[in-house]
Amino acid sequence: MAIRYPNGKKYQPSTPSTSPAQKKSVSYGKRGMSLEQDLNDTNAYYLANKLAVIHKKPTPVQIVGVDYPKRSSAKIKEAYFKTPSTTDYNGVYNGKYIDFEAKETKNTSSFPLNNFHPHQLTHMEDVLEQGGIVFIIISFHTLSEVYFTKFEHFQPFWQRMLDGGRKSVTLQELREVSDQIPYGLNPRLDYLNIIKKHYF
């Protein structure tokens, strides 16, 4: 199935290549999960335990081509992203609106800012102006380190890039303005503890 962006470019999903030998070397404690899976599991735990209601936002897609190989089934052949997506997750916790973006990198010393789109930063600024809790979760997959960064602490790095400065945030810079989220079992990445620390 071909999925296209609003500008017509074809969407190419990232498919990390891992050999069988690499898969065996993954630490069982970390389970080799992606950040998205870790957060989805964490949010499911929060929901089941009535701690918070936070979900991953679905990306709106417009279907333009459908094939009917059988009368009883349909196969989507071509689709477009209707609008640029905003952030990955939103919901409510303790009466406050939560909105955050989650990003993952294999880099070990810096995080490339081109992982973000300008409209995402604009959206987070708008949510912050309305009193929402806005933050970014960044995973350095190779290091097995995950950081919680308040949006107001991340935004200066973006502005620095717009002003002609470096196009990435060093790991050290990020550590100075962020809280590290430790891996756990249930919940997997307990970011609510950090929200409590900063906002309640």
Side-chain angles (χ1 to χ4, degrees):
M1 174 180 72
I3 298 179
R4 301 182 185 277
Y5 288 102
N7 64 7
K9 287 187 178 179
K10 192 173 178 182
Y11 168 68
Q12 294 290 346
S14 58
T15 53
S17 59
T18 52
S19 66
Q22 286 175 315
K23 287 181 183 176
K24 288 179 183 176
S25 67
V26 172
S27 164
Y28 182 74
K30 301 288 183 285
R31 297 182 191 170
M33 287 185 175
S34 68
L35 177 61
E36 179 179 327
Q37 186 60 56
D38 286 336
L39 288 172
N40 290 344
D41 289 351
T42 298
N43 292 336
Y45 175 88
Y46 290 158
L47 184 63
N49 289 275
K50 300 191 180 299
L51 298 172
V53 179
I54 300 168
H55 295 287
K56 181 167 173 55
K57 297 179 192 174
T59 303
V61 173
Q62 179 178 2
I63 298 168
V64 294
V66 181
D67 186 19
Y68 295 92
K70 296 179 183 177
R71 294 180 71 178
S72 60
S73 65
K75 182 178 180 183
I76 298 170
K77 299 293 286 181
E78 188 175 1
Y80 291 84
F81 290 119
K82 274 185 174 181
T83 56
S85 60
T86 53
T87 48
D88 288 333
Y89 295 88
N90 69 343
V92 63
Y93 166 65
N94 203 16
K96 293 286 281 184
Y97 177 74
I98 304 288
D99 199 297
F100 70 94
E101 179 68 15
K103 298 290 187 185
E104 193 165 15
T105 182
K106 290 182 179 178
N107 291 2
T108 57
S109 60
S110 65
F111 175 79
L113 290 168
N114 64 5
N115 283 312
F116 285 91
H117 300 287
H119 67 269
Q120 292 178 313
L121 275 288
T122 300
H123 170 77
M124 288 187 275
E125 287 170 358
D126 291 343
V127 172
L128 190 64
E129 283 179 11
Q130 294 298 320
I133 294 174
V134 192
F135 55 93
I136 294 161
I137 291 179
I138 297 176
S139 168
F140 286 82
H141 187 77
T142 307
L143 302 174
S144 294
E145 294 180 11
V146 183
Y147 292 93
F148 175 110
T149 311
K150 294 171 73 172
F151 174 71
E152 50 267 45
H153 291 164
F154 181 84
Q155 203 275 340
F157 299 125
W158 180 264
Q159 189 60 49
R160 179 177 69 184
M161 180 189 71
L162 295 180
D163 293 339
R166 64 177 297 141
K167 297 178 180 178
S168 64
V169 184
T170 68
L171 177 58
Q172 185 56 40
E173 286 178 323
L174 203 63
R175 284 173 173 163
E176 288 171 5
V177 298
S178 307
D179 292 83
Q180 188 170 356
I181 309 174
Y183 282 97
L185 185 59
N186 277 318
R188 183 78 173 131
L189 289 169
D190 193 5
Y191 61 87
L192 282 191
N193 265 340
I194 299 171
I195 291 177
K196 289 177 197 173
K197 170 185 168 183
H198 288 292
Y199 301 97
F200 295 97

